[in-house]
Amino acid sequence: MDEIVKKYVLYNSVKYEKVDANSVIGKIIAENPELKKDIKNLIKKINEAIKEVSKLSLEQKNKILDDYSFKKKEEKRELELNNVHGKVVMRFAPNPNGPLHIGHARQVVLNSYFSDKYHGELILRFDDTDAKIKVPLKEAYKWIEDDIKWLGIKIDKIVKQSSRFDVYYKYAEELITQRNAYVCTCKNFKELVDKSIECPCRNLSFNEQLKRWKFMFSKYKEGDAVLRIKTDINDKNPAVRDWPAFRIIDKGKHPLKKAKVWPLLNFASAIDDHEFKVTHILRGIDLRISDDRQGYIYKYFNWGKYPETTYTGKLLFEDLKSTSQIKKLLDEKKLTGWDDVRLGTIMALRKRGFKPEAIKNFILSMGLNRNDVHVEISNLESFNKDIIDKESNRYFVVFNPKKVIIENASKFDIKIPLHPDFERGFRNFKTSGEFYVQDDIEKNKLYRFMHLFNFKDNKFVNKELDKNAKLIHWLPASKDLVNVEVLMNDNSTKKGVGESSLKKIKTGTVIQMERNFFAILEKKSKNKMVFVYAHR
Ligand SMILES: [Zn+2]
C-alpha cells in the first residue's frame, strides 16, 4: 500500500505542483480496489506521503518516479486465458435492448483484449431472444455496433440469434428424439423439482412428446407448456434440474422476429457457442449456473468439452443507472435520451469527451476480478485525465462574470501559452483596466491575475510572481469575448464568457477551461459556443 500511495502522490506533485488528495485516492483505488475497504487508513497514508514528498526537490521526485515507472512496466500483470490450444474464438453477447453502458463495455473490452492477444476471432452475437421483458430495441443493434467501433474494437463476425430459430428448432427436435428433452405442462413443476421429484410429463412416450411439441406452435397458449432439458433430477442446484429451453410467447414485442416458440438464453447460447466454435467465454460470476445447464447440451450431442469459462465479478457503479432503469426514466421523459450526460452509456461518455483509450485502460486496470468491484465514475475520470490533460489546450472562461476595475493598471499586450508543458503557440490578450472575474474579490487581499499582475483593493501592485497572492483567472472586459454555455453532468447549464481565441477551435475538441474543468465543444454559432462538461 505504501508504495502505491507514494507513487501517486509523487506523480501528482510533479504534475500539478499542489497534490490533489482526491484524485490520488481515485487512482490508488482504481489500481487496487481492495484498499477501499480501509479508506480511513488510506487517507492517513496519503496525507503522510504528501508531507514526506513536499520535502523533496523536483529532481529528487523525478528520479524516484523514474524508478517506479520502470518497475511498473516490469510488474504489469499480463491478463491470460487458461487452456489455449489452437485458434481462440470468443464472443461478446449483449442483448440489444439499449446501447452499451460502461458495464457491458467491460465484457467487450476484455473479450477483444484476449482475441487480439491470441490472434483469435471475436464474434458479436446479439442475444436477442427475449420478446417479453428485456425486449430488443430496433435501433440498438446499430448503436452497439457504433459503440464498439468507437471503442476501436474490431469484430470478425456478427450474429443475430433472432435469425437462427430454424437452427434452434432443429436441435430441439433432435433432443426430443434422443428422449433428452420433453414438453412439460405442469403448473406445479417447481414444487416437484425442488423435492427432486420427476414431473409426470418427463416419461411420456416419444409420440406424445412430438405431438406436444407441435402443440406449442399451435393450440397451446403462453404459460401452457415449456420444453425442458432432462438433467440429473438430484442436482444439488434446483435451478439446474430439468431447466427450460423453449417457451411460448403469445404477443411478442420483438422488433425483428415474429414467432410463438422462443428459445431461452441457455439453450440458444449453447447451440451458438458450439456452431461458431467458441473456445473461451468470459461470464459474470452470477451466471455460473449457465455452465452446468449448458453442459448437458454439449454432453447430449457429444460436442466434447464445454468452452473454457473465465468468471468475472461485476463492476458496480454506485452512481450510474442500469439499462432497465434508463428505459423507465426515458418512458417517463425524465432523461434527454440514451446519451443524457447523467448516464454511464458509452454514448453519454463519448458526448462528454471521454476517450476510448481511457475507457479501455480503466477496464484493463481492473483485470479479471472474480469479486464484484465497487467503482465510481471518478475512477474512470482519472484515467481520462491522464490522456486529455496532455491533449487539451487551456482557455479562460469566466462563469457568472463580475466586473473588476483596476484603477492604476497599465495596458498590456500579452501572450499566454495554449498548454503549460508543450509548445503549441499562444493566446493573445490586450488588457486595459477592466476585467471580468469569476470569484468574489475580497478587500485587503492580494490577488494575482494568472500570467498578468498582482493587485489588491482594485489597485495594481506589481508584475512579479508572488506566491502569497491568490491565483485567479480573468478576461479583459472587451467586445471580443464569446458567450459560453456548458451542459453540466447534472443536466444543468452554466453560462459565462470566454476569450476570443475560443472561436478558432473545432467542434469535438476537448479543452481545459482553466481553473474550472475540462469540456468538449459540442456546437458553435455566431454568438455562442456550447460545451459539454467532462470532469475536473
Ligand atoms: Zn411436467
Side-chain angles (χ1 to χ4, degrees):
M1 167 168 174
D2 294 2
E3 287 281 289
I4 310 185
V5 170
K6 201 168 162 198
K7 179 174 73 182
Y8 282 114
V9 169
L10 265 171
Y11 180 73
N12 266 35
S13 77
V14 169
K15 219 168 163 194
Y16 307 112
E17 260 177 73
K18 211 177 153 216
V19 183
D20 175 7
N22 284 325
S23 86
V24 181
I25 291 179
K27 285 255 176 69
I28 293 170
I29 290 175
E31 182 169 327
N32 190 345
E34 287 289 302
L35 290 178
K36 201 176 175 180
K37 287 183 188 146
D38 193 2
I39 200 118
K40 261 192 191 161
N41 191 25
L42 178 60
I43 291 169
K44 200 178 129 223
K45 295 268 181 199
I46 291 173
N47 286 326
E48 284 169 11
I50 291 176
K51 242 184 230 167
E52 203 181 305
V53 163
S54 71
K55 293 175 197 152
L56 303 172
S57 72
L58 187 64
E59 205 186 345
Q60 286 171 313
K61 286 181 194 173
N62 275 325
K63 174 140 196 333
I64 305 171
L65 266 181
D66 282 349
D67 291 344
Y68 273 124
S69 49
F70 175 69
K71 249 167 88 184
K72 201 175 162 190
K73 257 178 227 155
E74 271 185 344
E75 278 175 9
K76 199 178 170 199
R77 200 163 28 128
E78 277 284 312
L79 300 177
E80 280 175 8
L81 290 173
N82 294 326
N83 286 320
V84 173
H85 314 284
K87 188 182 173 191
V88 166
V89 180
M90 304 193 69
R91 85 301 200 273
F92 169 56
N95 175 4
N97 62 334
L100 296 186
H101 64 64
I102 182 85
H104 300 119
R106 183 186 198 193
Q107 290 291 337
V108 72
V109 167
L110 286 170
N111 271 297
S112 103
Y113 172 84
F114 288 123
S115 62
D116 283 353
K117 175 174 176 144
Y118 297 103
H119 309 290
E121 187 181 305
L122 179 58
I123 299 167
L124 167 61
R125 190 180 78 203
F126 289 111
D127 278 8
D128 58 341
T129 62
D130 186 345
K132 203 171 149 69
I133 313 283
K134 294 185 173 177
V135 183
L137 251 182
K138 198 173 179 186
E139 304 85 344
Y141 294 84
K142 174 84 180 14
W143 290 343
I144 290 174
E145 282 182 49
D146 290 347
D147 288 342
I148 291 174
K149 205 167 160 193
W150 179 77
L151 283 167
I153 287 170
K154 205 182 121 275
I155 295 290
D156 298 293
K157 201 178 276 169
I158 299 178
V159 182
K160 281 190 194 112
Q161 288 194 325
S162 58
S163 66
R164 294 175 45 77
F165 276 36
D166 292 347
V167 178
Y168 306 137
Y169 293 154
K170 186 192 88 185
Y171 281 110
E173 278 153 29
E174 270 184 62
L175 285 167
I176 295 169
T177 310
Q178 294 172 4
R179 320 291 200 265
N180 283 325
Y182 64 97
V183 177
C184 170
T185 56
C186 298
K187 300 285 180 217
N188 62 339
F189 178 81
K190 195 178 175 306
E191 225 173 276
L192 297 172
V193 86
D194 280 350
K195 292 182 217 148
S196 291
I197 299 170
E198 296 181 0
C199 88
C201 323
R202 202 183 206 246
N203 296 312
L204 292 173
S205 72
F206 170 62
N207 283 338
E208 177 63 19
Q209 297 297 356
L210 264 193
K211 194 177 87 193
R212 284 180 162 207
W213 173 245
K214 294 215 169 74
F215 282 164
M216 281 184 75
F217 293 83
S218 54
K219 77 171 201 187
Y220 285 158
K221 300 240 172 324
E222 186 170 323
D224 284 352
V226 290
L227 184 80
R228 295 191 179 282
I229 304 300
K230 279 190 194 169
T231 68
D232 177 359
I233 200 76
N234 293 307
D235 192 289
K236 59 184 186 311
N237 186 350
V240 174
R241 297 174 199 161
D242 288 16
W243 54 272
F246 285 83
R247 62 172 168 173
I248 298 169
I249 297 175
D250 280 333
K251 285 180 188 137
K253 292 176 280 183
H254 201 284
L256 307 177
K257 178 77 187 170
K258 293 228 178 318
K260 190 173 178 211
V261 179
W262 291 78
L264 285 147
L265 187 124
N266 278 291
F267 186 82
S269 180
I271 301 298
D272 288 342
D273 284 338
H274 167 71
E275 288 226 326
F276 292 95
K277 301 186 172 59
V278 169
T279 60
H280 291 76
I281 297 174
L282 298 182
R283 178 172 278 153
I285 191 107
D286 54 322
L287 295 175
R288 222 173 156 168
I289 187 181
S290 295
D291 291 28
D292 294 340
R293 284 180 168 179
Q294 296 177 27
Y296 280 96
I297 306 288
Y298 271 66
K299 191 173 106 189
Y300 293 147
F301 289 118
N302 286 318
W303 286 342
K305 201 178 154 286
Y306 187 72
E308 180 73 30
T309 308
T310 304
Y311 295 100
T312 60
K314 276 193 180 147
L315 285 192
L316 300 173
F317 281 92
E318 324 231 316
D319 36 8
L320 294 178
K321 303 209 162 12
S322 71
T323 300
S324 20
Q325 287 170 319
I326 297 171
K327 227 173 204 160
K328 188 165 169 280
L329 291 168
L330 279 171
D331 289 342
E332 293 165 1
K333 304 213 182 323
K334 287 181 180 158
L335 292 173
T336 57
W338 286 97
D339 64 350
D340 189 300
V341 288
R342 290 164 284 188
L343 301 176
T345 56
I346 296 299
M347 282 180 177
L349 295 173
R350 178 180 180 172
K351 183 173 172 179
R352 282 179 54 191
F354 279 82
K355 301 284 174 183
E357 285 305 319
I359 294 173
K360 287 196 260 190
N361 293 345
F362 166 68
I363 286 167
L364 292 174
S365 77
M366 272 171 299
L368 285 172
N369 203 328
R370 267 181 173 230
N371 301 319
D372 288 349
V373 186
H374 288 266
V375 274
E376 280 162 28
I377 198 80
S378 61
N379 300 131
L380 173 59
E381 288 171 359
S382 70
F383 278 87
N384 201 51
K385 192 169 175 182
D386 280 348
I387 298 173
I388 64 173
D389 194 34
K390 297 186 199 95
E391 293 179 355
S392 310
N393 288 338
R394 273 55 171 163
Y395 295 90
F396 284 159
V397 172
V398 170
F399 295 104
N400 305 315
K402 300 170 195 60
K403 196 180 252 186
V404 171
I405 298 171
I406 307 296
E407 290 159 13
N408 53 342
S410 324
K411 291 186 174 176
F412 290 103
D413 204 339
I414 64 148
K415 286 172 156 200
I416 302 180
L418 282 163
H419 196 288
D421 306 333
F422 305 100
E423 283 180 27
R424 298 205 191 124
F426 297 88
R427 309 118 71 188
N428 300 305
F429 295 86
K430 275 187 170 50
T431 69
S432 60
E434 296 190 7
F435 298 87
Y436 286 125
V437 296
Q438 189 169 305
D439 312 61
D440 285 322
I441 300 295
E442 293 168 34
K443 281 206 179 354
N444 199 26
K445 186 169 174 177
L446 185 66
Y447 287 91
R448 177 171 182 78
F449 280 146
M450 292 174 77
H451 306 282
L452 197 58
F453 59 71
N454 308 315
F455 68 95
K456 190 176 185 175
D457 294 329
N458 295 46
K459 288 199 176 61
F460 175 87
V461 176
N462 57 15
K463 281 193 73 180
E464 285 66 47
L465 189 67
D466 186 334
K467 285 209 165 161
N468 298 315
K470 184 178 169 54
L471 198 62
I472 58 171
H473 70 293
W474 53 274
L475 284 170
S478 73
K479 283 185 197 129
D480 259 9
L481 303 180
V482 291
N483 290 314
V484 169
E485 257 184 43
V486 182
L487 176 62
M488 299 302 290
N489 58 342
D490 61 359
N491 205 42
S492 65
T493 303
K494 241 177 144 79
K495 289 184 183 176
V497 285
E499 59 180 79
S500 62
S501 42
L502 277 171
K503 288 174 196 161
K504 289 183 217 150
I505 69 170
K506 293 195 186 98
T507 51
T509 307
V510 178
I511 63 161
Q512 188 192 60
M513 299 183 176
E514 281 199 271
R515 304 199 76 72
N516 282 304
F517 41 70
F518 292 94
I520 180 169
L521 179 61
E522 191 181 41
K523 57 189 174 211
K524 59 177 177 180
S525 61
K526 214 173 158 196
N527 48 15
K528 193 166 77 181
M529 304 192 70
V530 180
F531 290 84
V532 182
Y533 170 87
H535 48 77
R536 293 212 158 257

